[in-house]
Amino acid sequence: MTQPSLSLVDTDPAELAVDAIVIGLHSQPEEDGALLPAAGAESIAAAFDGKLTATLALLGASGAPGEVTKLATLGTVAAPLLIAVGLGNEPTGPAPDLETLRRGAGAAVRALAGSGTVALALPSADEDAAPVLRAVLEGALLGGYRFAGYKTKPQKNRRDPVAALQVQVPDASDETALAEVRRAEVVARAVRLTRDWVNEPPNVLRPADFADRVVAEAEGTGLEVEVLDFEQLKAGGYGGIVAVGQGSEAPPRLVKLTYTPEGVTDPKRVALVGKGITFDTGGVSIKPSAGMWEMKSDMAGAAAVASALLAIAAIKPGVAVSGYLAIAENMPSGSAYRPGDVITMFNGKRVEVFNTDAEGRMVLGDAMARACADGTDYLFEASTLTGGQVISLGKRISGLMGSDEATALVEAAGAAVGEPAWRMPLPDDVRKGMESEIADICQTNANLDRAGHMLQGGVFLREFVTEGVEWAHIDIAGPSYHTGEPNGYWTKGGTGVPIRTFLQLIDEL
Ligand code: BES
Ligand code: ZN
Ligand code: MN
């Protein structure tokens, strides 16, 4: 699905001949909740001759975050339709809360589906406000996302996503602002691609299809591409990927994408690793059928890693980045791996399988060990690993485990981009509970005790990281897939989490 065109404007927003104009709206807690047009809306408020906030209040506007109020402008300003999006309480500091702004821009653009050209007169107008502008641009581009889908007939009353966005800034030829536009286009395209891949039905995107699509996207980007097929995985000793993938008629893949910066001697090396289970039935330890369809999103980590590498190839940072996608389909069959199997992993460690539904850690263990064998300073891994993540942290906050520096980096990056991750421990007693009688480690608790369920995943994955590598495991089971109504810049289905965290991390490194 194509994304809207994006441009900057620095003329009076009241005079923009667009189909709709977006302003922000605050409430003022000190003034009994009275409405206050946000920065950027001054000239529009003036055109309404002092009646704007009263009119919006009459229509029920309260300034609450994400609230959208539509108003016909009846000739007061050039655009026929005005949308006021709630941005919460009047900011106490110089800038509004970035996530509120990102969500507001997303909600407004989504509500304007059907309008061809939309202008945003949001608080992106201040000098030195690159992060504020970035939030508006990203939110606006992502809020308008829609999965193309497979309907055979065009739907009646279905309004097309906004085609063109114009964003108000003080100086539309300012180099920093233009650089933010270019970056936002790259980032939003990468998030859309992640969402598209996650939203694809699992019969359309089986392991080889997923790998092929990634390879096709990487073509001409300068990324180096390596794809290992089933035979090569067997020959290479990737016991975990082979075990999980052998139950399916669609065999597994390991895809490696490499970005090498030009003209940087001895760059920092970063590995991104993603879980790419194109469908997770649970295997022989089969899942209950209710809700199983959602396991088409079990490749969200790999989708985010692949898209991150594509974006990195365009942004061209000064660090070396490799992406590893551990791709397989987890099916029960006569050739499937079994509970009780002992599997020799890529790093030589032997794992006793207790539950074939804990397949993510099996494919990831191999991919992480391979990343370490290739040599890396940092390893960031993202996976829809455990239902325990959803139980403990919910649908917005990812679980985060790993070494001190890497987890601190992820925490900060996630907070900056609105993809929060909360650090969890890797307790000794959880590792003790995974002692195997006959192999080096059990894949889960040896008594199938689900206590510390999410932590078992992190503790297991630690076994596949080489000493000295800074590593973080991000459990995105909840945040990578949105089942509720669209909300802010989140649409139904794949969210793209944690790709913007990855890109922010690379920026910071
Ligand atoms: N892909 C699932 C985890 C998941 C659950 C992701 C819900 C998104 C939403 C994973 O492979 C899985 O099945 N995990 C098991 C692990 C258990 C068998 C140790 C789980 O969470 O129950
Ligand atoms: Zn899974
Ligand atoms: Mn599973």
Side-chain angles (χ1 to χ4, degrees):
M1 174 126 262
T2 50
Q3 70 183 9
S5 69
L6 184 59
S7 54
L8 298 176
V9 283
D10 55 12
T11 51
D12 181 357
E15 286 169 14
L16 285 175
V18 290
D19 298 312
I21 187 131
V22 178
I23 63 165
L25 197 61
H26 293 297
S27 67
Q28 302 171 95
E30 312 281 276
E31 313 276 332
D32 256 353
L35 298 175
L36 175 74
E42 295 79 2
S43 76
I44 289 169
F48 274 80
D49 214 5
K51 298 192 193 87
L52 179 63
T53 52
T55 309
L56 288 169
L58 194 64
L59 291 168
S62 70
E67 167 196 86
V68 159
T69 310
K70 286 191 184 181
L71 182 63
T73 62
L74 305 176
T76 47
V77 299
L81 177 62
L82 179 130
I83 273 206
V85 64
L87 297 178
N89 289 346
E90 180 185 8
T92 44
D97 175 63
L98 294 184
E99 179 63 4
T100 305
L101 199 50
R102 221 181 269 118
R103 291 189 192 185
V109 171
R110 191 154 26 70
L112 283 167
S115 300
T117 302
V118 168
L120 296 128
L122 286 171
S124 50
D126 296 342
E127 304 289 339
D128 296 326
V132 180
L133 178 58
R134 181 178 293 192
V136 170
L137 297 175
E138 287 184 0
L141 285 174
L142 297 178
Y145 169 85
R146 185 185 285 168
F147 181 55
Y150 290 92
K151 286 190 181 292
T152 52
K153 293 195 189 88
Q155 272 186 295
K156 276 190 202 134
N157 306 326
R158 189 165 182 171
R159 297 171 303 152
D160 288 334
V162 171
L165 293 168
Q166 299 183 357
V167 176
Q168 182 72 22
V169 289
D171 177 5
S173 54
D174 175 64
E175 255 319 306
T176 318
L178 288 168
E180 286 300 331
V181 169
R182 287 189 295 271
R183 184 189 152 102
E185 284 180 326
V186 167
V187 171
R189 195 166 296 124
V191 176
R192 279 165 179 267
L193 195 55
T194 310
R195 290 181 179 180
D196 276 348
W197 281 333
V198 170
N199 292 336
E200 282 291 8
N203 62 327
V204 172
L205 205 74
R206 298 186 83 192
D209 306 307
F210 186 21
D212 289 349
R213 290 218 199 173
V214 170
V215 172
E217 290 289 341
E219 186 109 356
T221 59
L223 292 174
E224 196 186 309
V225 179
E226 178 187 343
V227 181
L228 299 185
D229 66 17
F230 197 26
E231 294 310 315
Q232 291 165 312
L233 289 165
K234 281 191 237 174
Y238 296 86
I241 300 176
V242 167
V244 173
Q246 73 191 27
S248 170
E249 280 182 20
R253 296 283 187 271
L254 177 65
V255 178
K256 179 185 180 190
L257 302 170
T258 306
Y259 163 77
T260 309
E262 265 169 46
V264 188
T265 42
D266 212 12
K268 280 185 197 165
R269 297 165 303 169
V270 179
L272 304 179
V273 182
K275 170 177 173 181
I277 300 297
T278 61
F279 195 68
D280 181 13
T281 64
V284 168
S285 316
I286 199 161
K287 289 182 181 293
S289 59
M292 194 200 274
W293 65 272
E294 217 184 290
M295 286 301 113
K296 71 175 188 173
S297 67
D298 212 17
M299 32 59 72
V305 168
S307 314
L309 264 290
L310 294 166
I312 287 164
I315 297 170
K316 302 195 194 308
V319 290
V321 189
S322 295
Y324 299 83
L325 323 178
I327 304 177
E329 186 180 49
N330 190 23
M331 295 290 257
S333 80
S335 59
Y337 81 133
R338 294 149 289 255
D341 283 2
V342 171
I343 306 295
T344 304
M345 304 285 284
F346 183 77
N347 68 352
K349 289 199 182 175
R350 298 223 167 107
V351 176
E352 186 178 9
V353 174
F354 276 137
N355 186 328
T356 61
D357 198 10
E359 84 298 337
R361 61 198 71 181
M362 300 298 291
V363 300
L364 289 165
D366 278 350
M368 290 167 70
R370 166 67 199 274
C372 290
D374 288 348
T376 192
D377 303 311
Y378 296 88
L379 189 160
F380 301 104
E381 171 274 319
S383 48
T384 45
L385 204 71
T386 67
Q389 181 280 319
V390 192
I391 304 290
S392 46
L393 293 171
K395 299 280 290 176
R396 275 279 175 182
I397 302 174
S398 298
L400 173 61
M401 285 142 270
S403 55
D404 290 340
E405 189 196 340
T407 51
L409 283 166
V410 172
E411 225 165 10
V417 303
E419 296 179 344
W422 196 260
R423 187 164 181 194
M424 306 299 273
L426 296 167
D428 288 340
D429 75 293
V430 169
R431 176 63 184 85
K432 282 203 190 85
M434 296 169 79
E435 266 314 311
S436 165
E437 302 236 337
I438 61 167
D440 298 322
I441 186 170
C442 289
Q443 172 211 29
T444 62
N445 177 278
N447 301 312
L448 296 177
D449 183 348
R450 285 171 74 86
H453 184 196
M454 165 172 45
L455 314 181
Q456 292 178 22
V459 164
F460 181 88
L461 292 174
R462 181 175 56 188
E463 303 280 325
F464 302 90
V465 182
T466 303
E467 192 66 49
V469 174
E470 275 293 328
W471 71 286
H473 157 54
I474 315 172
D475 193 334
I476 55 169
S480 60
Y481 198 80
H482 181 55
T483 41
E485 283 310 303
N487 174 322
Y489 55 92
W490 271 18
T491 46
K492 255 192 168 146
T495 59
V497 172
I499 181 181
R500 289 180 306 110
T501 301
F502 284 150
L503 297 176
Q504 181 75 17
L505 277 170
I506 300 298
D507 266 5
E508 274 162 25
L509 288 168

